[in-house]
Amino acid sequence: MQTVFQDAASARAGAWLGVSLRAIAENYDLVAALGAGAECAAVVKADAYGLGADRVASVLAARGVGTFFVAHLDEGIALRATLPEVRIFVLHGFMPGCEGSMQAHGLIPVLNDLEQIQSWQRFCRERGCAFPAALQFDTGMSRFGLSNQDLQERSVFEGLNLQLVMSHLACADTPDNPANAMQRKHFVEMAACFPGVPRSLAASSGIFLGPDYHFELIRPGAALYGIAPFEGSRALKPVVSLDARIVQIRTVQAGDRVGYGLGWTATKPTRIATLGLGYADGFFRAQAGQGAVWYGQTRLPVIGRVSMDSISVDLTDAPAGLKAGDVLSVLGPAQDVDALARSAGTIGYEVLTALGSRFHRDYVSDD
Ligand SMILES: *Cc1c(COP(=O)(O)O)cnc(C)c1O
């Protein structure tokens, strides 16, 4: 395969991560259309699931997305530097004493417990201004948010400048799970304590449960990045490609062993390739014996253990002419993020957020 390099850095790289900003934008449009009637925010926590929050959020904001979610205060501060105008919600709220940073950067905390609410109330009183905030309810996941009990003392909430009330579904990726309707019912009841405040329940999978789950604002993350909302669904455009070059090829003989622990033994003369990506790059050790990379439509199994910086693959089914410097596909048409995740016993979310920083990154806006 002849490869054309865009620049010297690209030519030096052992692996290239391609991120299609256009596919992200198209996935946004698709999800926003499903949720027509609700505002469609974008979740860009964890560096936009490993793909680059700066780049991703800039493209979405240029398309008119006005509301973003991050998990941590520092993520919000970084995003604010890129996007001075948009609304940014910080899902974890703030650590004690950090109200000032939240407000100074124009960020909106998601208040998850009574202590956070009291701190924010005190901060607002001292400054003489009701700065915006959101509330999260725990509707069954027991992770973040106020309990039913917490809502009993209504005076706690007086004077809050509420932009949003929200909760999160635990089982939205299994549409038939009765927990979804149960959580929705709790959410409606709890939100009724705050009439007129916009409501948000659905992340990516929840959006696909239908309009009953959309309320006034939807919050997709994974779907924007091409992760399927539930097992087997194919609605979204693939966003990432990962191609790795062959560093070295050798032929081993029957009885020769490969990798740490000498964990794989050749049963016949076998051509193997060493590729320069490993668990430090997010190619999980759990892929050993399960994973594969691809040459076009040909599956090339990963053999032996995954090293920090390299993997070995069996070239038996590959064309004889392959040589060092040639390119194999780790993520691409033959193997999407969800498929790679399955072979490591995990989910696409973990594959994306684990992608290392050593790949050469190509952002494509017009493929
Ligand atoms: C991460 C997260 C989202 C986005 O979830 P996806 O499944 O990636 O769409 C939405 N809401 C909350 C509270 C989250 O933590």
Side-chain angles (χ1 to χ4, degrees):
M1 187 188 295
Q2 199 58 41
T3 310
V4 180
F5 300 114
Q6 291 175 339
D7 53 36
S10 175
R12 290 195 300 267
W16 304 277
L17 182 73
V19 179
S20 172
L21 296 169
R22 180 186 172 132
I24 293 174
E26 286 177 9
N27 286 335
Y28 177 87
D29 289 349
L30 191 148
V31 173
L34 271 180
E39 178 181 357
C40 186
V43 179
V44 294
K45 62 191 181 187
D47 201 24
Y49 293 45
L51 303 184
D54 249 32
R55 302 296 296 264
V56 169
S58 297
V59 161
L60 291 174
R63 257 179 127 75
V65 179
T67 302
F68 292 84
F69 285 82
V70 295
H72 293 279
L73 175 51
D74 273 345
E75 293 180 317
I77 291 172
L79 186 61
R80 175 56 78 213
T82 309
L83 299 175
E85 303 290 340
V86 300
R87 269 203 314 177
I88 303 173
F89 288 97
V90 179
L91 289 165
H92 291 187
F94 47 83
M95 291 297 153
C98 297
E99 302 86 342
S101 307
M102 185 70 70
Q103 187 269 323
H105 292 91
L107 306 171
I108 306 177
V110 176
L111 305 173
N112 290 303
D113 64 19
L114 293 176
E115 286 71 31
Q116 280 191 343
I117 291 170
Q118 280 154 5
S119 304
W120 193 248
Q121 293 277 51
R122 198 178 319 115
F123 179 78
C124 291
R125 257 195 323 274
E126 284 166 10
R127 304 291 159 109
C129 179
F131 299 113
L135 290 182
Q136 174 144 227
F137 306 140
D138 173 28
T139 54
M141 195 173 177
S142 309
R143 193 175 68 164
F144 290 111
L146 301 159
S147 66
N148 250 324
Q149 186 63 33
D150 293 333
L151 297 187
Q152 300 312 310
E153 185 56 72
R154 298 307 309 281
S155 62
V156 172
F157 304 94
E158 272 166 25
L160 275 179
N161 173 2
L162 288 179
Q163 302 280 305
L164 191 71
V165 292
M166 59 174 281
S167 188
H168 195 57
L169 295 167
C171 304
D173 58 340
T174 49
D176 295 336
N177 197 315
N180 294 321
M182 195 100 79
Q183 281 197 272
R184 183 186 179 282
K185 179 168 171 289
H186 288 315
F187 181 61
V188 170
E189 287 163 3
M190 294 173 92
C193 298
F194 302 90
V197 178
R199 298 163 295 175
S200 177
L201 180 60
S204 296
S205 302
I207 295 164
F208 288 79
L209 294 177
D212 278 356
Y213 288 82
H214 296 166
F215 298 96
E216 284 75 49
L217 182 141
I218 54 176
R219 330 181 287 271
L224 308 179
Y225 312 118
I227 293 172
F230 29 80
E231 183 94 44
S233 68
R234 283 236 145 259
L236 300 154
K237 294 231 163 193
V239 167
V240 292
S241 62
L242 179 58
D243 297 293
R245 297 171 85 188
I246 298 172
V247 179
Q248 181 172 5
I249 292 184
R250 66 187 334 108
T251 300
V252 297
Q253 303 304 321
D256 284 350
R257 299 188 288 174
V258 174
Y260 278 115
L262 304 179
W264 185 86
T265 306
T267 55
K268 57 180 178 16
T270 307
R271 254 168 19 109
I272 61 174
T274 306
L275 306 187
L277 84 170
Y279 61 77
D281 306 293
F283 197 95
F284 299 121
R285 282 185 88 244
Q287 300 277 7
Q290 319 286 326
V293 301
W294 294 74
Y295 181 81
Q297 291 304 306
T298 307
R299 183 178 188 277
L300 306 174
V302 173
I303 56 174
R305 290 195 195 158
V306 173
S307 297
M308 184 185 290
D309 316 301
S310 66
I311 54 174
S312 301
V313 302
D314 182 341
L315 292 184
T316 300
D317 296 328
L322 275 189
K323 57 187 186 316
D326 285 346
V327 179
L328 301 177
S329 167
V330 182
L331 288 170
Q335 176 164 269
D336 64 13
V337 170
D338 294 303
L340 183 67
R342 272 193 297 281
S343 72
T346 183
I347 54 175
Y349 294 70
E350 196 179 21
V351 168
L352 286 191
T353 54
L355 288 171
S357 55
R358 296 193 291 182
F359 303 127
H360 184 80
R361 290 185 174 222
D362 288 315
Y363 286 91
V364 188
S365 343
D366 54 353
D367 52 355

mmCIF file of all heavy atoms in Angstrom, residues 114 117-118 121 125 150-160 194:
data_model
loop_
_atom_site.group_PDB
_atom_site.id
_atom_site.type_symbol
_atom_site.label_atom_id
_atom_site.label_comp_id
_atom_site.label_asym_id
_atom_site.label_seq_id
_atom_site.Cartn_x
_atom_site.Cartn_y
_atom_site.Cartn_z
ATOM 1 N N LEU A 114 -26.984 18.525 48.929
ATOM 2 C CA LEU A 114 -27.424 19.707 49.679
ATOM 3 C C LEU A 114 -26.245 20.591 50.080
ATOM 4 O O LEU A 114 -26.365 21.815 50.114
ATOM 5 C CB LEU A 114 -28.214 19.278 50.925
ATOM 6 C CG LEU A 114 -29.561 18.607 50.622
ATOM 7 C CD1 LEU A 114 -30.224 18.131 51.914
ATOM 8 C CD2 LEU A 114 -30.489 19.548 49.860
ATOM 9 N N ILE A 117 -25.394 22.787 47.225
ATOM 10 C CA ILE A 117 -26.437 23.812 47.070
ATOM 11 C C ILE A 117 -26.230 24.920 48.095
ATOM 12 O O ILE A 117 -26.261 26.119 47.760
ATOM 13 C CB ILE A 117 -27.838 23.181 47.217
ATOM 14 C CG1 ILE A 117 -28.119 22.279 46.024
ATOM 15 C CG2 ILE A 117 -28.919 24.259 47.352
ATOM 16 C CD1 ILE A 117 -29.348 21.432 46.153
ATOM 17 N N GLN A 118 -25.984 24.529 49.344
ATOM 18 C CA GLN A 118 -25.785 25.541 50.387
ATOM 19 C C GLN A 118 -24.557 26.397 50.084
ATOM 20 O O GLN A 118 -24.583 27.621 50.257
ATOM 21 C CB GLN A 118 -25.675 24.872 51.759
ATOM 22 C CG GLN A 118 -27.051 24.516 52.314
ATOM 23 C CD GLN A 118 -27.028 23.354 53.287
ATOM 24 O OE1 GLN A 118 -25.954 22.860 53.632
ATOM 25 N NE2 GLN A 118 -28.199 22.926 53.717
ATOM 26 N N GLN A 121 -25.443 28.786 47.311
ATOM 27 C CA GLN A 121 -26.357 29.813 47.827
ATOM 28 C C GLN A 121 -25.576 30.873 48.611
ATOM 29 O O GLN A 121 -25.791 32.071 48.443
ATOM 30 C CB GLN A 121 -27.411 29.184 48.761
ATOM 31 C CG GLN A 121 -28.399 28.250 48.078
ATOM 32 C CD GLN A 121 -29.561 28.999 47.435
ATOM 33 O OE1 GLN A 121 -29.329 29.940 46.690
ATOM 34 N NE2 GLN A 121 -30.785 28.577 47.704
ATOM 35 N N ARG A 125 -25.142 34.762 47.659
ATOM 36 C CA ARG A 125 -25.567 35.804 48.610
ATOM 37 C C ARG A 125 -24.442 36.804 48.842
ATOM 38 O O ARG A 125 -24.636 38.019 48.792
ATOM 39 C CB ARG A 125 -25.974 35.178 49.944
ATOM 40 C CG ARG A 125 -27.490 35.098 50.167
ATOM 41 C CD ARG A 125 -27.869 34.824 51.616
ATOM 42 N NE ARG A 125 -26.994 33.907 52.323
ATOM 43 C CZ ARG A 125 -27.112 32.577 52.307
ATOM 44 N NH1 ARG A 125 -28.083 32.001 51.614
ATOM 45 N NH2 ARG A 125 -26.281 31.822 52.986
ATOM 46 N N ASP A 150 -34.109 14.727 49.922
ATOM 47 C CA ASP A 150 -33.461 16.045 49.849
ATOM 48 C C ASP A 150 -34.417 17.127 49.338
ATOM 49 O O ASP A 150 -34.175 18.311 49.555
ATOM 50 C CB ASP A 150 -32.241 15.990 48.912
ATOM 51 C CG ASP A 150 -31.115 15.128 49.461
ATOM 52 O OD1 ASP A 150 -31.019 14.996 50.690
ATOM 53 O OD2 ASP A 150 -30.342 14.590 48.645
ATOM 54 N N LEU A 151 -35.450 16.717 48.604
ATOM 55 C CA LEU A 151 -36.357 17.713 48.007
ATOM 56 C C LEU A 151 -37.441 18.168 48.982
ATOM 57 O O LEU A 151 -38.207 19.079 48.675
ATOM 58 C CB LEU A 151 -37.015 17.146 46.741
ATOM 59 C CG LEU A 151 -36.079 16.802 45.581
ATOM 60 C CD1 LEU A 151 -36.882 16.417 44.345
ATOM 61 C CD2 LEU A 151 -35.156 17.966 45.248
ATOM 62 N N GLN A 152 -37.513 17.517 50.132
ATOM 63 C CA GLN A 152 -38.611 17.827 51.055
ATOM 64 C C GLN A 152 -38.507 19.244 51.620
ATOM 65 O O GLN A 152 -39.505 19.926 51.762
ATOM 66 C CB GLN A 152 -38.647 16.819 52.220
ATOM 67 C CG GLN A 152 -38.837 15.368 51.779
ATOM 68 C CD GLN A 152 -39.980 15.203 50.788
ATOM 69 O OE1 GLN A 152 -41.083 15.678 51.024
ATOM 70 N NE2 GLN A 152 -39.709 14.543 49.658
ATOM 71 N N GLU A 153 -37.297 19.666 51.947
ATOM 72 C CA GLU A 153 -37.100 20.988 52.563
ATOM 73 C C GLU A 153 -36.989 22.044 51.470
ATOM 74 O O GLU A 153 -35.895 22.342 50.986
ATOM 75 C CB GLU A 153 -35.835 20.944 53.427
ATOM 76 C CG GLU A 153 -35.573 22.197 54.219
ATOM 77 C CD GLU A 153 -36.738 22.576 55.120
ATOM 78 O OE1 GLU A 153 -36.951 21.873 56.138
ATOM 79 O OE2 GLU A 153 -37.426 23.557 54.790
ATOM 80 N N ARG A 154 -38.119 22.620 51.065
ATOM 81 C CA ARG A 154 -38.152 23.467 49.864
ATOM 82 C C ARG A 154 -37.384 24.774 50.010
ATOM 83 O O ARG A 154 -36.900 25.338 49.029
ATOM 84 C CB ARG A 154 -39.603 23.762 49.461
ATOM 85 C CG ARG A 154 -40.407 22.517 49.102
ATOM 86 C CD ARG A 154 -39.682 21.680 48.032
ATOM 87 N NE ARG A 154 -39.294 22.490 46.886
ATOM 88 C CZ ARG A 154 -40.124 22.850 45.935
ATOM 89 N NH1 ARG A 154 -41.358 22.446 45.957
ATOM 90 N NH2 ARG A 154 -39.708 23.599 44.937
ATOM 91 N N SER A 155 -37.235 25.248 51.252
ATOM 92 C CA SER A 155 -36.588 26.552 51.429
ATOM 93 C C SER A 155 -35.124 26.520 50.988
ATOM 94 O O SER A 155 -34.558 27.556 50.627
ATOM 95 C CB SER A 155 -36.677 26.972 52.896
ATOM 96 O OG SER A 155 -35.989 26.035 53.693
ATOM 97 N N VAL A 156 -34.532 25.324 50.977
ATOM 98 C CA VAL A 156 -33.130 25.172 50.554
ATOM 99 C C VAL A 156 -32.918 25.701 49.142
ATOM 100 O O VAL A 156 -31.843 26.187 48.798
ATOM 101 C CB VAL A 156 -32.736 23.668 50.610
ATOM 102 C CG1 VAL A 156 -31.364 23.433 50.003
ATOM 103 C CG2 VAL A 156 -32.801 23.150 52.027
ATOM 104 N N PHE A 157 -33.964 25.608 48.313
ATOM 105 C CA PHE A 157 -33.806 25.898 46.886
ATOM 106 C C PHE A 157 -34.219 27.323 46.514
ATOM 107 O O PHE A 157 -34.051 27.741 45.380
ATOM 108 C CB PHE A 157 -34.630 24.891 46.062
ATOM 109 C CG PHE A 157 -34.273 23.468 46.374
ATOM 110 C CD1 PHE A 157 -34.986 22.737 47.316
ATOM 111 C CD2 PHE A 157 -33.185 22.862 45.758
ATOM 112 C CE1 PHE A 157 -34.638 21.434 47.623
ATOM 113 C CE2 PHE A 157 -32.824 21.559 46.061
ATOM 114 C CZ PHE A 157 -33.550 20.845 47.002
ATOM 115 N N GLU A 158 -34.739 28.032 47.500
ATOM 116 C CA GLU A 158 -35.258 29.366 47.201
ATOM 117 C C GLU A 158 -34.150 30.296 46.705
ATOM 118 O O GLU A 158 -33.064 30.321 47.261
ATOM 119 C CB GLU A 158 -35.908 29.970 48.452
ATOM 120 C CG GLU A 158 -37.381 29.592 48.564
ATOM 121 C CD GLU A 158 -37.944 29.876 49.938
ATOM 122 O OE1 GLU A 158 -37.393 30.764 50.636
ATOM 123 O OE2 GLU A 158 -38.914 29.192 50.310
ATOM 124 N N GLY A 159 -34.455 31.016 45.639
ATOM 125 C CA GLY A 159 -33.513 31.994 45.117
ATOM 126 C C GLY A 159 -32.478 31.423 44.168
ATOM 127 O O GLY A 159 -31.717 32.171 43.566
ATOM 128 N N LEU A 160 -32.429 30.082 44.005
ATOM 129 C CA LEU A 160 -31.476 29.514 43.042
ATOM 130 C C LEU A 160 -31.873 29.938 41.631
ATOM 131 O O LEU A 160 -33.056 29.926 41.289
ATOM 132 C CB LEU A 160 -31.506 27.981 43.104
ATOM 133 C CG LEU A 160 -30.643 27.269 44.146
ATOM 134 C CD1 LEU A 160 -30.863 25.761 44.030
ATOM 135 C CD2 LEU A 160 -29.164 27.606 43.977
ATOM 136 N N PHE A 194 -39.981 21.820 40.494
ATOM 137 C CA PHE A 194 -39.319 23.009 39.932
ATOM 138 C C PHE A 194 -40.000 23.395 38.622
ATOM 139 O O PHE A 194 -39.403 23.319 37.544
ATOM 140 C CB PHE A 194 -37.820 22.730 39.723
ATOM 141 C CG PHE A 194 -37.125 22.324 40.983
ATOM 142 C CD1 PHE A 194 -37.037 20.986 41.339
ATOM 143 C CD2 PHE A 194 -36.613 23.285 41.846
ATOM 144 C CE1 PHE A 194 -36.426 20.606 42.530
ATOM 145 C CE2 PHE A 194 -36.004 22.908 43.033
ATOM 146 C CZ PHE A 194 -35.913 21.569 43.374
#
